[in-house]
């Protein structure tokens, strides 16, 4: 797994968990002793936190991040991408069919 993808996954998972708990970034930052800028970069996938920092953040979020969370995110993300591709394909086919079906033989 490449570095950028791992950063994206960790960031998205942390943001999702923080929002589930209705915490602000500031709430998490105070408890984890990090700046809001650091947390923002982590949540946006621009920075991967050190293990110690990640543990502090997870402690505040009362969450045990595990490999299963990461693999589930990957499969959900791929599923979302596939659904989007199918939707776009259906829209293209629908517009072609609509144009052809619009004129019925008399």
């Amino acid at each position: 797994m490449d570095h950028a993808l791992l950063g994206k996954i960790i960031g998205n998972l942390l943001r999702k968990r923080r929002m589930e708990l209705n915490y602000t970034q500031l709430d998490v930052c105070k408890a984890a002793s990090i700046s809001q800028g650091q947390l923002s970069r982590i949540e946006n996938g621009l920075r991967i936190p050190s293990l110690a920092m990640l543990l502090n953040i997870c402690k505040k979020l009362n969450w045990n991040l595990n490999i299963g969370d990461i693999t589930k995110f990957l499969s959900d993300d791929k599923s979302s991408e596939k659904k989007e591709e199918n939707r776009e394909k259906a829209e293209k086919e629908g517009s072609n069919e609509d144009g052809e079906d619009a004129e019925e033989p008399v």
Side-chain angles (χ1 to χ4, degrees), residues 1 5 9 13 67-83:
M1 179 178 307
L5 180 59
I9 293 168
L13 290 170
I67 296 299
D69 295 326
I70 293 171
T71 55
K72 182 179 184 319
F73 178 88
L74 282 171
S75 65
D76 289 350
D77 196 44
K78 286 179 183 173
S79 176
S80 295
E81 287 175 8
K82 188 68 174 170
K83 286 178 186 176

Side-chain angles (χ1 to χ4, degrees), residues 58-105:
C58 287
K59 183 177 178 181
K60 169 61 181 171
L61 298 175
N62 192 29
W63 185 42
N64 295 317
L65 176 64
N66 61 55
I67 296 299
D69 295 326
I70 293 171
T71 55
K72 182 179 184 319
F73 178 88
L74 282 171
S75 65
D76 289 350
D77 196 44
K78 286 179 183 173
S79 176
S80 295
E81 287 175 8
K82 188 68 174 170
K83 286 178 186 176
E84 179 64 20
E85 288 172 9
N86 289 339
R87 184 189 63 76
E88 289 173 1
K89 183 179 176 184
E91 284 178 358
K92 280 184 180 180
E93 290 173 359
S95 66
N96 289 342
E97 289 174 8
D98 287 345
E100 292 171 8
D101 294 340
E103 295 180 34
E104 292 184 24

Side-chain angles (χ1 to χ4, degrees), residues 17 50 66 94:
R17 178 63 179 163
S50 67
N66 61 55

